[in-house]
């Protein structure tokens, strides 16, 4: 039986994937979306690989139980271990890293920066794929930021908190801009996309690549090309599950400007 009326699944370690959700709502307003954010264990980027794999497999299982028609691994950190999880789902899986690589290669210039979590940086997936798929002269500088995702997760909308986010951005990205002379930067963590306007203000000449936009475009062409768009007309709704605080997710969903959020539910966290 066709799954075309089933939801699109989006997962992330926390609220960062709201950046992907927002882009999907913009391009495919008719789709129902099921979101899972592992608020109890965010940030993932400072965990060891085996913990990230265990937590990610837990979320993949959740998505399979809910029969999503396509799974978007919004989280770049989880995208680095997706190969160790795909056996759990029967639907196509789109990952953030490939989207970021495609975005950077289509018009990013010769000196490309990538900012990400420490884990994503340590995997070197971005530099490897960019070098393999890009032109010979391409120079890639990757940087792992231990505090940034967590600062964004808990400080959106707070003046003082966002000042700390800006300070951290200046420190982490400033070096890539001033010393490495990067022309474009991949926002290699979904949380950074949530503050992309601030990043652009701090570094106005830098071209920013947001994998969330590329993921939504890929999803739209996949669903349309495979007769998998939802039937029945009307706008779709969003259901959010989190292992974190429902109250905090409600606040963040509003701050990010998500539309048609029908329910935000609590889900038991995996014990690690
Ligand atoms: N937002 C996630 C990413 O795209 C990870 C943030 C974290 O949990 O450390 O990599």
């Amino acid at each position: 039986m066709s799954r075309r009326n089933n939801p699109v699944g989006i997962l992330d370690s926390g609220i960062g994937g709201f950046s992907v959700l927002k882009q999907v709502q913009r391009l495919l307003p008719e789709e129902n979306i099921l979101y899972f954010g592992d608020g109890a264990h965010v940030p993932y980027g400072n965990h060891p690989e085996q913990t990230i794999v265990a937590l990610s497999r837990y979320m993949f299982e959740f998505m399979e139980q809910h029969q999503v028609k396509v799974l978007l691994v919004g989280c770049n950190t989880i995208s680095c271990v997706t190969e160790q999880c795909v056996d759990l789902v029967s639907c196509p899986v789109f990952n953030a890293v490939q989207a970021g690589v495609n975005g950077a290669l289509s018009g990013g210039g010769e000196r490309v920066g990538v900012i990400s979590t420490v884990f994503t940086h340590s995997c070197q997936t971005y530099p490897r794929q960019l070098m393999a798929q890009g032109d010979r002269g391409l120079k890639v500088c990757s940087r792992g930021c231990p505090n940034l995702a967590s600062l964004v997760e808990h400080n959106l909308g707070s003046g003082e908190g966002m000042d700390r986010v800006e300070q951290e951005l200046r420190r982490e990205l400033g070096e890539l801009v001033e010393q490495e002379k990067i022309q474009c930067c991949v926002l290699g963590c979904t949380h950074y996309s949530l503050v992309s306007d601030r990043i652009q203000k701090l570094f106005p000449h830098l071209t920013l690549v947001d994998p969330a936009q590329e993921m939504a475009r890929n999803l739209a062409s996949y669903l349309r090309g495979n007769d998998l768009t939802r039937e029945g007309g009307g706008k779709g709704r969003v259901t959010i599950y989190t292992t974190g605080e429902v109250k905090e997710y409600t606040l963040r969903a509003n701050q990010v400007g998500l539309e048609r959020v029908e329910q935000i539910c609590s889900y038991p966290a995996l014990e690690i």
Side-chain angles (χ1 to χ4, degrees):
M1 207 178 74
S2 166
R3 285 186 176 185
R4 70 182 302 169
N5 290 330
N6 294 12
V8 169
I10 301 177
L11 54 80
D12 193 85
S13 59
I15 60 155
F18 285 176
S19 55
V20 179
L21 203 168
K22 214 175 158 182
Q23 296 297 336
V24 173
Q25 281 199 313
R26 196 172 59 82
L27 285 190
L28 294 159
E30 69 280 12
E31 294 301 328
N32 289 327
I33 300 170
L34 178 66
Y35 184 94
F36 192 114
D38 193 8
H41 298 114
V42 68
Y44 273 24
N46 300 334
H47 287 306
E49 178 165 350
Q50 81 190 71
T51 306
I52 297 172
V53 172
L55 295 171
S56 305
R57 285 181 69 83
Y58 185 67
M59 286 198 273
F60 271 67
E61 272 171 356
F62 171 91
M63 290 294 176
E64 181 63 8
Q65 278 158 16
H66 288 79
Q67 295 277 292
V68 294
K69 61 180 170 186
V70 177
L71 176 57
L72 303 187
V73 180
C75 183
N76 294 259
T77 305
I78 300 175
S79 294
C80 295
V81 300
T82 289
E83 287 305 313
Q84 298 175 66
C85 307
V86 282
D87 59 298
L88 294 167
V89 291
S90 52
C91 65
V93 177
F94 289 67
N95 85 66
V97 173
Q98 189 54 54
V101 167
N102 294 345
L105 293 180
S106 57
E110 279 186 352
R111 302 182 77 87
V112 177
V114 180
I115 50 168
S116 69
T117 64
V118 169
F119 181 78
T120 302
H121 168 70
S122 73
C123 292
Q124 291 286 297
T125 315
Y126 265 112
R128 247 199 333 271
Q129 292 197 17
L130 282 163
M131 297 303 283
Q133 295 170 41
D135 292 338
R136 272 179 160 236
L138 192 70
K139 169 119 178 33
V140 182
C141 304
S142 162
R143 186 171 177 109
C145 312
N147 306 318
L148 205 42
S150 206
L151 280 174
V152 173
E153 174 94 12
H154 300 297
N155 289 291
L156 269 188
S158 135
E160 211 177 294
M162 289 309 286
D163 287 348
R164 286 183 62 205
V165 169
E166 270 195 30
Q167 255 173 32
E168 197 75 3
L169 279 167
R170 267 202 197 91
R171 209 166 54 77
E172 298 289 11
L173 194 47
E175 205 177 294
L176 292 185
V177 172
E178 280 141 34
Q179 287 168 29
E180 304 293 343
K181 312 274 183 235
I182 58 166
Q183 298 153 318
C184 121
C185 185
V186 179
L187 304 179
C189 168
T190 47
H191 287 76
Y192 310 163
S193 307
L194 295 176
V195 292
S196 59
D197 49 347
R198 293 210 173 220
I199 302 178
Q200 196 70 83
K201 256 195 210 142
L202 288 174
F203 304 99
H205 302 299
L206 196 60
T207 303
L208 300 182
V209 175
D210 182 357
Q213 294 178 6
E214 182 78 11
M215 282 189 104
R217 276 195 293 269
N218 291 343
L219 174 69
S221 69
Y222 175 79
L223 294 182
R224 289 178 186 138
N226 290 280
D227 292 330
L228 277 172
T229 48
R230 188 171 77 87
E231 292 166 315
K235 295 205 166 168
R237 51 194 202 286
V238 177
T239 306
I240 297 173
Y241 280 85
T242 179
T243 58
E245 293 289 328
V246 168
K247 221 167 131 190
E248 190 173 2
Y249 269 61
T250 308
L251 175 69
R252 301 294 176 224
N254 282 329
Q255 286 169 334
V256 171
L258 301 184
E259 291 170 13
R260 302 181 299 283
V261 178
E262 196 172 72
Q263 279 189 79
I264 302 189
C265 317
S266 177
Y267 195 77
L270 181 70
E271 278 179 36
I272 52 169

